[in-house]
Amino acid sequence: MQIKMLENEYWWGGVVDLGDKMPYDAQSECEIVLGQVGEDQSSPLYLSSKGRYLWSSKPFRISFHAGTITVDSNYEIELGEGFDTLKGAHKAAANKFFGKSARIPDTRFFRVPQYNTWIELMYDQNQKQILEYARSIVDMGMTPGILMIDEGWSEDYGVFDFYPGRFSDPKDMVRQLHDMGFTVMLWVTPHISPDSNAFRELRDTDYLIRDKSGEFAIRKWWNGFSCVLDLSNPEAKHWLQEKLRYVVEEYHVDGFKFDAGDPYMYRDEDQTHVRQLGLDNTSDYSRFAADYTFNELRAVWNMGGEPLVCRLHDKRHRWDYDGLNCIIPNTILQGLLGYYYGCPDMVGGGNYGSFIENGFHLDEELYIRWLEASLLCPMLQFSIAPWRVLSPENYETVKRFLKFRSRYADYFIKLAKNAAENHEPIVRHLEYEFPGCGYERENSMYMLGDRFLVVPMVEKGKTERTVKLPQGTWRGLDGKEYSGGAELTLVYPLDRLYIFEKV
Protein backbone atom coordinates (compact mmCIF):
# COMPACT_ATOMS: atom_id res chain seq x y z
CA MET A 1 0.00 0.00 0.00
CA GLN A 2 1.25 3.48 -0.87
CA ILE A 3 -0.33 6.64 0.52
CA LYS A 4 0.47 10.18 -0.52
CA MET A 5 0.85 12.61 2.35
CA LEU A 6 -1.70 15.41 2.42
CA GLU A 7 -0.57 19.01 2.69
CA ASN A 8 0.65 19.77 6.24
CA GLU A 9 -0.13 16.24 7.38
CA TYR A 10 1.64 14.73 10.40
CA TRP A 11 1.69 11.13 11.64
CA TRP A 12 2.25 9.43 15.00
CA GLY A 13 2.19 5.76 15.96
CA GLY A 14 3.79 2.35 15.96
CA VAL A 15 6.56 2.33 18.53
CA VAL A 16 6.47 4.29 21.81
CA ASP A 17 10.26 4.18 21.96
CA LEU A 18 10.37 6.34 18.80
CA GLY A 19 8.00 9.01 20.09
CA ASP A 20 10.74 11.62 20.28
CA LYS A 21 11.29 11.19 16.50
CA MET A 22 7.67 12.11 15.72
CA PRO A 23 5.62 13.43 14.10
CA TYR A 24 6.52 12.11 10.67
CA ASP A 25 5.83 14.55 7.82
CA ALA A 26 6.54 14.97 4.12
CA GLN A 27 10.24 15.55 4.86
CA SER A 28 10.67 12.44 7.00
CA GLU A 29 12.96 9.67 5.73
CA CYS A 30 12.74 6.50 7.78
CA GLU A 31 11.64 2.87 7.83
CA ILE A 32 10.18 1.01 10.80
CA VAL A 33 9.58 -2.72 11.12
CA LEU A 34 7.07 -3.21 13.91
CA GLY A 35 8.19 -5.80 16.42
CA GLN A 36 11.87 -5.35 15.60
CA VAL A 37 12.57 -1.93 17.12
CA GLY A 38 11.94 -0.37 20.50
CA GLU A 39 11.93 -1.58 24.09
CA ASP A 40 8.59 -0.14 25.15
CA GLN A 41 5.03 -0.63 24.05
CA SER A 42 4.14 -0.86 20.37
CA SER A 43 1.00 -1.23 18.30
CA PRO A 44 0.07 -1.76 14.62
CA LEU A 45 -1.52 1.70 14.46
CA TYR A 46 -0.56 5.05 12.94
CA LEU A 47 -2.63 8.22 13.31
CA SER A 48 -2.72 11.39 11.22
CA SER A 49 -3.37 15.03 12.08
CA LYS A 50 -5.72 15.04 9.06
CA GLY A 51 -8.05 12.43 10.54
CA ARG A 52 -6.65 9.28 8.94
CA TYR A 53 -5.37 6.06 10.45
CA LEU A 54 -3.47 2.96 9.36
CA TRP A 55 -4.22 -0.29 11.18
CA SER A 56 -3.53 -3.98 10.97
CA SER A 57 -4.05 -6.73 13.51
CA LYS A 58 -0.49 -7.91 12.70
CA PRO A 59 2.94 -6.25 12.46
CA PHE A 60 4.00 -4.52 9.27
CA ARG A 61 6.86 -2.57 7.69
CA ILE A 62 6.24 1.13 7.15
CA SER A 63 8.42 3.75 5.48
CA PHE A 64 8.16 7.50 5.06
CA HIS A 65 9.93 8.80 1.96
CA ALA A 66 9.52 11.92 -0.17
CA GLY A 67 5.97 12.55 1.01
CA THR A 68 4.86 8.96 0.43
CA ILE A 69 3.99 6.34 3.06
CA THR A 70 4.64 2.75 1.98
CA VAL A 71 3.22 -0.12 4.01
CA ASP A 72 4.38 -3.69 3.39
CA SER A 73 2.66 -6.64 5.04
CA ASN A 74 1.46 -10.18 4.48
CA TYR A 75 -1.74 -9.23 6.27
CA GLU A 76 -4.63 -6.89 5.62
CA ILE A 77 -4.00 -3.19 6.20
CA GLU A 78 -6.90 -0.83 6.81
CA LEU A 79 -6.74 2.86 5.88
CA GLY A 80 -9.40 4.84 7.73
CA GLU A 81 -10.22 8.31 6.45
CA GLY A 82 -12.62 11.19 6.98
CA PHE A 83 -12.18 11.78 10.73
CA ASP A 84 -10.88 15.36 10.32
CA THR A 85 -8.36 15.58 13.18
CA LEU A 86 -5.85 13.60 15.25
CA LYS A 87 -8.49 13.27 17.97
CA GLY A 88 -11.04 12.07 15.44
CA ALA A 89 -8.67 9.46 14.00
CA HIS A 90 -7.69 8.24 17.46
CA LYS A 91 -11.26 7.88 18.69
CA ALA A 92 -12.35 6.09 15.51
CA ALA A 93 -9.47 3.61 15.65
CA ALA A 94 -9.72 3.13 19.41
CA ASN A 95 -13.44 2.43 19.36
CA LYS A 96 -12.97 -0.08 16.55
CA PHE A 97 -9.76 -1.86 17.54
CA PHE A 98 -8.86 -1.33 21.21
CA GLY A 99 -9.89 -3.51 24.12
CA LYS A 100 -13.27 -2.82 25.68
CA SER A 101 -12.28 -3.24 29.34
CA ALA A 102 -13.87 -0.66 31.62
CA ARG A 103 -11.35 -1.46 34.38
CA ILE A 104 -8.42 0.72 35.33
CA PRO A 105 -5.34 -0.15 37.40
CA ASP A 106 -5.75 0.27 41.15
CA THR A 107 -6.41 3.95 41.94
CA ARG A 108 -3.45 4.02 44.33
CA PHE A 109 -1.18 4.24 41.26
CA PHE A 110 -2.63 7.70 40.60
CA ARG A 111 -2.63 8.89 44.20
CA VAL A 112 0.81 8.08 45.55
CA PRO A 113 4.38 7.79 44.23
CA GLN A 114 6.02 4.53 43.26
CA TYR A 115 9.42 3.54 44.62
CA ASN A 116 11.56 0.94 42.88
CA THR A 117 14.59 -0.62 44.58
CA TRP A 118 16.52 -1.11 41.32
CA ILE A 119 19.00 1.79 41.24
CA GLU A 120 19.74 1.63 44.96
CA LEU A 121 20.26 -2.15 45.19
CA MET A 122 20.44 -3.49 41.62
CA TYR A 123 20.92 -7.28 41.86
CA ASP A 124 21.64 -7.16 45.60
CA GLN A 125 18.01 -7.08 46.74
CA ASN A 126 17.97 -7.90 50.45
CA GLN A 127 15.71 -7.52 53.44
CA LYS A 128 17.92 -5.21 55.48
CA GLN A 129 18.45 -2.58 52.79
CA ILE A 130 14.89 -2.72 51.44
CA LEU A 131 13.57 -1.92 54.92
CA GLU A 132 16.18 0.82 55.32
CA TYR A 133 15.12 2.33 52.00
CA ALA A 134 11.45 2.26 52.98
CA ARG A 135 12.10 3.72 56.45
CA SER A 136 14.16 6.50 54.90
CA ILE A 137 11.28 7.38 52.55
CA VAL A 138 9.04 7.87 55.57
CA ASP A 139 11.66 9.48 57.83
CA MET A 140 12.72 11.94 55.12
CA GLY A 141 9.17 13.20 54.69
CA MET A 142 8.19 11.57 51.40
CA THR A 143 4.78 9.98 50.93
CA PRO A 144 4.67 6.18 51.38
CA GLY A 145 3.44 4.63 48.16
CA ILE A 146 3.86 1.58 45.99
CA LEU A 147 7.18 -0.17 46.67
CA MET A 148 8.49 -2.42 43.90
CA ILE A 149 11.11 -4.94 44.98
CA ASP A 150 13.12 -5.53 41.85
CA GLU A 151 15.11 -8.41 40.42
CA GLY A 152 17.05 -10.61 42.84
CA TRP A 153 14.45 -11.24 45.54
CA SER A 154 14.28 -14.92 44.48
CA GLU A 155 17.20 -17.27 43.90
CA ASP A 156 16.51 -18.14 40.26
CA TYR A 157 14.12 -17.60 37.37
CA GLY A 158 11.15 -19.87 37.97
CA VAL A 159 11.58 -19.80 41.76
CA PHE A 160 8.79 -18.03 43.66
CA ASP A 161 10.19 -17.91 47.18
CA PHE A 162 12.39 -15.23 48.68
CA TYR A 163 16.08 -16.08 48.60
CA PRO A 164 16.92 -17.25 52.15
CA GLY A 165 20.48 -15.96 51.90
CA ARG A 166 19.19 -12.40 51.59
CA PHE A 167 15.82 -12.47 53.34
CA SER A 168 15.74 -13.81 56.88
CA ASP A 169 12.01 -13.26 57.41
CA PRO A 170 10.28 -12.03 54.23
CA LYS A 171 6.80 -12.31 55.74
CA ASP A 172 7.79 -9.94 58.51
CA MET A 173 9.49 -7.63 55.99
CA VAL A 174 6.27 -7.32 53.98
CA ARG A 175 4.31 -6.81 57.19
CA GLN A 176 6.61 -3.97 58.20
CA LEU A 177 6.32 -2.39 54.75
CA HIS A 178 2.54 -2.55 54.97
CA ASP A 179 2.63 -1.04 58.46
CA MET A 180 4.68 1.87 57.08
CA GLY A 181 1.97 2.50 54.48
CA PHE A 182 3.46 0.80 51.42
CA THR A 183 1.83 -1.41 48.83
CA VAL A 184 4.33 -4.14 47.90
CA MET A 185 4.99 -5.45 44.38
CA LEU A 186 7.56 -8.03 43.24
CA TRP A 187 9.53 -8.30 39.99
CA VAL A 188 8.70 -11.39 37.93
CA THR A 189 9.34 -12.66 34.40
CA PRO A 190 8.00 -15.48 32.16
CA HIS A 191 11.51 -16.98 32.11
CA ILE A 192 12.64 -20.33 33.49
CA SER A 193 16.33 -21.04 34.05
CA PRO A 194 17.61 -24.17 32.27
CA ASP A 195 19.35 -26.68 34.55
CA SER A 196 17.15 -25.71 37.49
CA ASN A 197 14.53 -27.39 39.61
CA ALA A 198 11.88 -25.25 37.94
CA PHE A 199 12.94 -26.50 34.51
CA ARG A 200 12.98 -30.09 35.70
CA GLU A 201 9.43 -29.57 36.99
CA LEU A 202 8.31 -28.43 33.53
CA ARG A 203 10.41 -30.40 31.05
CA ASP A 204 7.85 -33.20 30.67
CA THR A 205 5.00 -30.74 30.05
CA ASP A 206 4.03 -28.50 27.12
CA TYR A 207 4.43 -25.36 29.22
CA LEU A 208 7.66 -24.14 27.62
CA ILE A 209 8.14 -22.71 24.15
CA ARG A 210 10.00 -24.95 21.73
CA ASP A 211 11.96 -23.83 18.69
CA LYS A 212 11.23 -24.91 15.12
CA SER A 213 13.18 -28.15 15.60
CA GLY A 214 11.11 -29.12 18.63
CA GLU A 215 13.85 -28.50 21.19
CA PHE A 216 13.29 -26.26 24.20
CA ALA A 217 13.87 -22.67 23.07
CA ILE A 218 16.70 -21.22 25.15
CA ARG A 219 16.89 -17.51 24.46
CA LYS A 220 19.51 -14.87 25.21
CA TRP A 221 18.34 -11.85 27.18
CA TRP A 222 20.00 -9.21 29.36
CA ASN A 223 20.73 -11.67 32.19
CA GLY A 224 21.92 -14.67 30.22
CA PHE A 225 19.97 -17.54 28.70
CA SER A 226 16.53 -18.82 29.70
CA CYS A 227 13.59 -20.90 28.60
CA VAL A 228 10.28 -19.08 28.22
CA LEU A 229 6.79 -20.05 29.34
CA ASP A 230 4.23 -20.63 26.60
CA LEU A 231 1.34 -18.54 27.89
CA SER A 232 -0.79 -19.41 24.89
CA ASN A 233 -1.18 -22.73 26.71
CA PRO A 234 -3.96 -22.45 29.33
CA GLU A 235 -2.19 -25.01 31.52
CA ALA A 236 1.05 -23.01 31.51
CA LYS A 237 -0.94 -19.90 32.31
CA HIS A 238 -2.60 -21.73 35.21
CA TRP A 239 0.81 -22.92 36.44
CA LEU A 240 2.09 -19.33 36.62
CA GLN A 241 -1.14 -18.11 38.19
CA GLU A 242 -0.80 -20.71 40.92
CA LYS A 243 2.82 -19.72 41.57
CA LEU A 244 1.84 -16.07 41.93
CA ARG A 245 -1.18 -16.97 44.05
CA TYR A 246 1.21 -18.82 46.36
CA VAL A 247 3.42 -15.70 46.62
CA VAL A 248 0.42 -13.51 47.44
CA GLU A 249 -0.96 -15.90 50.06
CA GLU A 250 2.38 -16.87 51.59
CA TYR A 251 3.99 -13.42 51.76
CA HIS A 252 0.96 -11.10 51.43
CA VAL A 253 2.39 -9.05 48.56
CA ASP A 254 -0.05 -6.95 46.56
CA GLY A 255 1.02 -7.33 42.94
CA PHE A 256 3.78 -7.78 40.42
CA LYS A 257 6.10 -5.92 38.10
CA PHE A 258 5.91 -8.10 34.98
CA ASP A 259 9.28 -7.50 33.36
CA ALA A 260 10.72 -8.99 30.15
CA GLY A 261 8.32 -10.56 27.65
CA ASP A 262 10.19 -8.67 24.92
CA PRO A 263 9.46 -9.51 21.28
CA TYR A 264 13.08 -10.61 20.70
CA MET A 265 12.47 -13.59 23.00
CA TYR A 266 10.04 -15.13 20.51
CA ARG A 267 10.17 -16.36 16.90
CA ASP A 268 7.40 -16.71 14.33
CA GLU A 269 8.47 -20.30 13.73
CA ASP A 270 8.39 -21.29 17.43
CA GLN A 271 6.22 -24.24 18.40
CA THR A 272 3.55 -23.00 20.80
CA HIS A 273 0.20 -24.33 21.99
CA VAL A 274 -1.57 -21.80 19.78
CA ARG A 275 0.16 -21.39 16.42
CA GLN A 276 0.86 -17.67 16.24
CA LEU A 277 3.37 -14.97 15.43
CA GLY A 278 6.17 -14.39 17.90
CA LEU A 279 4.78 -10.98 18.84
CA ASP A 280 1.53 -12.59 19.96
CA ASN A 281 3.45 -14.20 22.83
CA THR A 282 4.25 -10.71 24.10
CA SER A 283 0.52 -9.95 24.01
CA ASP A 284 -0.22 -13.19 25.91
CA TYR A 285 2.09 -12.05 28.72
CA SER A 286 0.47 -8.60 28.85
CA ARG A 287 -3.00 -10.17 28.86
CA PHE A 288 -1.91 -12.35 31.77
CA ALA A 289 -0.69 -9.28 33.68
CA ALA A 290 -3.93 -7.40 33.10
CA ASP A 291 -5.71 -9.73 35.53
CA TYR A 292 -3.77 -8.10 38.39
CA THR A 293 -4.90 -4.66 39.54
CA PHE A 294 -1.36 -3.98 40.75
CA ASN A 295 0.67 -4.63 37.60
CA GLU A 296 3.48 -2.96 35.69
CA LEU A 297 4.85 -3.80 32.24
CA ARG A 298 7.36 -2.38 29.82
CA ALA A 299 7.28 -4.61 26.72
CA VAL A 300 3.72 -4.68 25.32
CA TRP A 301 2.30 -5.40 21.85
CA ASN A 302 -1.16 -4.50 20.53
CA MET A 303 -2.94 -4.11 23.87
CA GLY A 304 -4.52 -0.66 23.48
CA GLY A 305 -7.26 0.09 25.98
CA GLU A 306 -6.33 -2.61 28.49
CA PRO A 307 -5.85 -1.80 32.22
CA LEU A 308 -2.05 -2.04 32.10
CA VAL A 309 0.46 0.13 33.93
CA CYS A 310 2.99 0.76 31.15
CA ARG A 311 6.37 2.16 32.16
CA LEU A 312 8.79 3.63 29.65
CA HIS A 313 11.94 1.53 29.42
CA ASP A 314 15.00 2.45 31.51
CA LYS A 315 16.14 5.91 30.40
CA ARG A 316 19.70 7.17 30.62
CA HIS A 317 20.67 9.83 33.16
CA ARG A 318 21.20 12.54 30.56
CA TRP A 319 19.35 15.35 28.83
CA ASP A 320 19.40 13.87 25.32
CA TYR A 321 19.98 10.48 23.65
CA ASP A 322 17.36 8.38 25.39
CA GLY A 323 17.15 10.62 28.42
CA LEU A 324 14.88 13.43 29.56
CA ASN A 325 14.25 14.39 25.93
CA CYS A 326 12.07 11.25 25.53
CA ILE A 327 9.81 11.59 28.56
CA ILE A 328 7.10 13.91 27.20
CA PRO A 329 6.88 12.76 23.54
CA ASN A 330 6.97 9.07 24.44
CA THR A 331 4.33 9.49 27.16
CA ILE A 332 2.13 11.36 24.68
CA LEU A 333 2.53 8.51 22.19
CA GLN A 334 1.59 5.95 24.86
CA GLY A 335 -1.78 7.65 25.09
CA LEU A 336 -2.32 7.79 21.34
CA LEU A 337 -1.64 4.04 21.10
CA GLY A 338 -4.07 3.25 23.92
CA TYR A 339 -1.54 2.71 26.71
CA TYR A 340 -3.26 5.33 28.79
CA TYR A 341 -1.91 4.47 32.23
CA GLY A 342 1.71 5.39 31.63
CA CYS A 343 4.66 5.84 33.95
CA PRO A 344 7.55 7.91 32.51
CA ASP A 345 10.35 5.73 33.95
CA MET A 346 12.14 6.47 37.22
CA VAL A 347 12.88 10.13 38.02
CA GLY A 348 16.41 10.85 36.87
CA GLY A 349 16.55 7.69 34.76
CA GLY A 350 16.40 3.94 35.34
CA ASN A 351 19.37 2.86 33.22
CA TYR A 352 21.84 1.59 35.79
CA GLY A 353 24.71 1.60 33.31
CA SER A 354 24.46 5.33 32.70
CA PHE A 355 24.94 5.94 36.43
CA ILE A 356 27.99 3.65 36.48
CA GLU A 357 29.49 5.44 33.49
CA ASN A 358 29.67 8.75 35.36
CA GLY A 359 30.62 7.27 38.73
CA PHE A 360 27.12 7.85 40.10
CA HIS A 361 27.60 11.59 39.81
CA LEU A 362 24.10 13.04 39.74
CA ASP A 363 23.23 16.10 37.68
CA GLU A 364 20.92 17.83 40.15
CA GLU A 365 19.51 20.21 37.57
CA LEU A 366 18.63 17.24 35.35
CA TYR A 367 17.01 15.39 38.25
CA ILE A 368 14.75 18.31 39.20
CA ARG A 369 13.80 19.08 35.60
CA TRP A 370 13.01 15.37 35.12
CA LEU A 371 10.73 15.47 38.13
CA GLU A 372 9.00 18.56 36.79
CA ALA A 373 8.44 16.97 33.36
CA SER A 374 7.02 13.80 34.97
CA LEU A 375 5.07 15.41 37.78
CA LEU A 376 1.66 15.54 36.09
CA CYS A 377 2.02 12.37 34.07
CA PRO A 378 -0.44 9.68 35.20
CA MET A 379 2.13 8.05 37.50
CA LEU A 380 5.41 9.00 39.15
CA GLN A 381 8.23 6.61 40.10
CA PHE A 382 11.42 7.10 42.12
CA SER A 383 14.37 4.77 42.47
CA ILE A 384 17.63 6.48 43.37
CA ALA A 385 17.04 8.04 46.80
CA PRO A 386 16.73 11.81 46.26
CA TRP A 387 17.60 12.68 49.87
CA ARG A 388 20.92 10.91 49.39
CA VAL A 389 22.02 12.57 46.17
CA LEU A 390 20.49 16.05 46.22
CA SER A 391 21.37 19.17 48.13
CA PRO A 392 19.04 19.94 51.07
CA GLU A 393 17.53 22.80 49.05
CA ASN A 394 16.80 20.61 46.03
CA TYR A 395 15.44 17.84 48.20
CA GLU A 396 12.97 20.29 49.72
CA THR A 397 11.87 21.05 46.16
CA VAL A 398 11.18 17.34 45.63
CA LYS A 399 8.98 17.18 48.72
CA ARG A 400 7.15 20.36 47.78
CA PHE A 401 6.42 19.03 44.29
CA LEU A 402 5.11 15.74 45.71
CA LYS A 403 2.69 17.64 47.93
CA PHE A 404 1.65 19.74 44.93
CA ARG A 405 1.02 16.64 42.79
CA SER A 406 -1.33 15.18 45.39
CA ARG A 407 -3.83 17.96 44.60
CA TYR A 408 -4.42 16.38 41.19
CA ALA A 409 -5.04 12.80 42.38
CA ASP A 410 -8.82 12.90 41.96
CA TYR A 411 -8.43 14.44 38.50
CA PHE A 412 -5.99 11.69 37.48
CA ILE A 413 -8.53 9.06 38.53
CA LYS A 414 -11.33 10.88 36.71
CA LEU A 415 -9.21 10.93 33.54
CA ALA A 416 -8.27 7.26 33.97
CA LYS A 417 -11.94 6.25 34.21
CA ASN A 418 -12.71 8.40 31.18
CA ALA A 419 -9.89 6.69 29.26
CA ALA A 420 -11.33 3.29 30.06
CA GLU A 421 -14.86 4.28 29.09
CA ASN A 422 -14.29 6.69 26.19
CA HIS A 423 -10.76 5.98 24.91
CA GLU A 424 -9.37 9.46 25.54
CA PRO A 425 -5.72 9.77 26.60
CA ILE A 426 -4.82 11.19 30.00
CA VAL A 427 -1.73 12.97 28.65
CA ARG A 428 -2.52 14.60 25.33
CA HIS A 429 -0.61 16.21 22.50
CA LEU A 430 -1.56 19.83 21.92
CA GLU A 431 -2.50 18.85 18.35
CA TYR A 432 -5.05 16.46 19.86
CA GLU A 433 -6.80 19.26 21.77
CA PHE A 434 -6.05 22.20 19.46
CA PRO A 435 -5.94 20.88 15.89
CA GLY A 436 -4.41 22.98 13.14
CA CYS A 437 -3.09 25.64 15.50
CA GLY A 438 0.59 25.08 14.78
CA TYR A 439 1.43 22.73 17.65
CA GLU A 440 2.09 19.62 15.56
CA ARG A 441 5.82 19.56 16.37
CA GLU A 442 5.47 20.59 20.00
CA ASN A 443 7.12 17.90 22.15
CA SER A 444 8.08 19.83 25.27
CA MET A 445 4.67 20.60 26.79
CA TYR A 446 1.41 18.71 27.00
CA MET A 447 -2.22 18.78 28.04
CA LEU A 448 -3.38 16.90 31.11
CA GLY A 449 -6.88 16.00 29.98
CA ASP A 450 -8.62 18.97 28.38
CA ARG A 451 -8.09 21.23 31.39
CA PHE A 452 -4.42 21.77 32.23
CA LEU A 453 -1.54 22.90 30.03
CA VAL A 454 1.77 21.71 31.53
CA VAL A 455 4.88 23.65 30.47
CA PRO A 456 8.11 22.26 32.01
CA MET A 457 11.69 23.18 31.16
CA VAL A 458 13.57 20.25 29.58
CA GLU A 459 16.74 21.94 28.24
CA LYS A 460 20.00 22.03 30.14
CA GLY A 461 21.01 25.39 31.57
CA LYS A 462 18.02 27.29 30.18
CA THR A 463 16.03 29.51 32.51
CA GLU A 464 13.65 31.14 30.05
CA ARG A 465 11.29 30.11 27.25
CA THR A 466 8.59 31.79 25.19
CA VAL A 467 5.23 30.04 24.95
CA LYS A 468 2.19 30.81 22.83
CA LEU A 469 -0.97 29.85 24.69
CA PRO A 470 -3.65 27.92 22.78
CA GLN A 471 -7.12 29.32 22.15
CA GLY A 472 -9.30 30.00 25.16
CA THR A 473 -8.77 31.69 28.51
CA TRP A 474 -6.05 30.39 30.82
CA ARG A 475 -5.31 30.87 34.50
CA GLY A 476 -1.80 30.50 35.87
CA LEU A 477 -0.88 29.14 39.28
CA ASP A 478 -0.64 32.74 40.47
CA GLY A 479 -4.32 33.30 39.63
CA LYS A 480 -3.60 35.64 36.74
CA GLU A 481 -5.66 35.09 33.57
CA TYR A 482 -4.35 35.12 30.00
CA SER A 483 -6.05 35.08 26.63
CA GLY A 484 -5.30 32.42 24.04
CA GLY A 485 -2.76 33.49 21.46
CA ALA A 486 -0.76 35.48 23.99
CA GLU A 487 2.98 34.92 23.89
CA LEU A 488 4.43 34.63 27.36
CA THR A 489 8.08 34.74 28.30
CA LEU A 490 8.39 32.37 31.23
CA VAL A 491 11.31 32.46 33.68
CA TYR A 492 12.41 29.13 35.15
CA PRO A 493 14.36 29.02 38.37
CA LEU A 494 15.15 25.40 39.20
CA ASP A 495 12.07 24.96 41.36
CA ARG A 496 9.55 26.35 38.86
CA LEU A 497 6.94 24.50 36.80
CA TYR A 498 4.25 26.36 34.86
CA ILE A 499 0.71 25.00 34.69
CA PHE A 500 -2.17 26.86 33.08
CA GLU A 501 -5.78 25.90 33.70
CA LYS A 502 -8.36 26.41 30.97
CA VAL A 503 -11.26 28.46 32.28
Side-chain angles (χ1 to χ4, degrees), residues 191-196 199 208-221 224-229 264-267 270:
H191 298 166
I192 304 294
S193 292
D195 191 22
S196 68
F199 173 78
L208 299 174
I209 291 175
R210 294 175 182 263
D211 63 25
K212 62 182 179 181
S213 70
E215 297 294 331
F216 291 111
I218 299 178
R219 299 283 154 78
K220 183 179 180 181
W221 59 301
F225 296 84
S226 294
C227 297
V228 191
L229 285 168
Y264 67 77
M265 293 296 288
Y266 309 104
R267 311 284 186 270
D270 282 342

Side-chain angles (χ1 to χ4, degrees), residues 307-379:
L308 300 172
V309 174
C310 292
R311 181 180 61 84
L312 298 183
H313 82 85
D314 300 3
K315 301 300 181 192
R316 303 178 69 82
H317 182 69
R318 51 185 300 160
W319 295 85
D320 53 10
Y321 182 56
D322 201 32
L324 175 57
N325 65 303
C326 297
I327 294 301
I328 294 174
N330 292 15
T331 300
I332 287 171
L333 187 56
Q334 282 183 317
L336 289 174
L337 294 180
Y339 304 118
Y340 302 124
Y341 319 109
C343 181
D345 195 32
M346 305 160 191
V347 176
N351 184 300
Y352 193 86
S354 70
F355 286 91
I356 294 176
E357 289 168 6
N358 64 9
F360 274 80
H361 171 73
L362 192 79
D363 182 338
E364 294 197 34
E365 178 192 5
L366 173 61
Y367 189 95
I368 297 297
R369 294 303 193 203
W370 200 306
L371 173 60
E372 292 167 357
S374 307
L375 193 66
L376 292 188
C377 292
M379 299 175 192

Side-chain angles (χ1 to χ4, degrees), residues 396-435:
E396 288 301 314
T397 296
V398 171
K399 291 196 294 183
R400 180 170 62 83
F401 274 138
L402 277 181
K403 186 175 181 181
F404 176 79
R405 175 186 161 86
S406 67
R407 303 179 197 172
Y408 294 83
D410 289 339
Y411 188 57
F412 283 130
I413 295 169
K414 178 182 177 181
L415 290 175
K417 291 178 178 178
N418 177 62
E421 294 170 5
N422 300 311
H423 290 303
E424 291 190 294
I426 297 173
V427 171
R428 304 175 186 177
H429 201 289
L430 267 67
E431 175 64 19
Y432 182 97
E433 284 295 322
F434 305 100

Side-chain angles (χ1 to χ4, degrees), residues 108-156:
R108 195 152 205 255
F109 279 110
F110 307 101
R111 291 194 178 279
V112 295
Q114 302 167 23
Y115 302 93
N116 189 293
T117 59
W118 175 242
I119 296 296
E120 287 294 305
L121 303 180
M122 202 180 171
Y123 294 104
D124 187 26
Q125 305 291 318
N126 64 87
Q127 181 168 329
K128 179 177 180 293
Q129 289 180 283
I130 289 169
L131 286 172
E132 288 175 353
Y133 180 63
R135 290 191 191 103
S136 295
I137 291 169
V138 176
D139 293 345
M140 296 302 295
M142 296 183 76
T143 306
I146 298 171
L147 182 70
M148 298 182 183
I149 299 175
D150 215 278
E151 179 173 7
W153 64 272
S154 65
E155 190 171 2
D156 207 351

Side-chain angles (χ1 to χ4, degrees), residues 210-345:
R210 294 175 182 263
D211 63 25
K212 62 182 179 181
S213 70
E215 297 294 331
F216 291 111
I218 299 178
R219 299 283 154 78
K220 183 179 180 181
W221 59 301
W222 64 81
N223 279 337
F225 296 84
S226 294
C227 297
V228 191
L229 285 168
D230 176 8
L231 293 176
S232 75
N233 184 338
E235 293 182 0
K237 179 180 177 180
H238 178 73
W239 180 88
L240 184 56
Q241 286 171 332
E242 287 300 297
K243 294 295 185 182
L244 298 187
R245 183 181 62 81
Y246 163 77
V247 175
V248 169
E249 294 180 355
E250 179 70 11
Y251 300 109
H252 306 293
V253 301
D254 304 287
F256 300 94
K257 171 182 175 177
F258 294 91
D259 207 357
D262 298 77
Y264 67 77
M265 293 296 288
Y266 309 104
R267 311 284 186 270
D268 290 348
E269 63 270 20
D270 282 342
Q271 297 185 21
T272 51
H273 180 78
V274 174
R275 189 71 180 93
Q276 58 187 10
L277 296 180
L279 269 174
D280 293 327
N281 293 286
T282 294
S283 298
D284 285 339
Y285 187 46
S286 301
R287 202 169 289 110
F288 179 92
D291 288 338
Y292 297 80
T293 56
F294 284 101
N295 69 71
E296 187 200 81
L297 296 103
R298 176 187 48 77
V300 181
W301 164 254
N302 195 12
M303 292 291 288
E306 298 297 337
L308 300 172
V309 174
C310 292
R311 181 180 61 84
L312 298 183
H313 82 85
D314 300 3
K315 301 300 181 192
R316 303 178 69 82
H317 182 69
R318 51 185 300 160
W319 295 85
D320 53 10
Y321 182 56
D322 201 32
L324 175 57
N325 65 303
C326 297
I327 294 301
I328 294 174
N330 292 15
T331 300
I332 287 171
L333 187 56
Q334 282 183 317
L336 289 174
L337 294 180
Y339 304 118
Y340 302 124
Y341 319 109
C343 181
D345 195 32

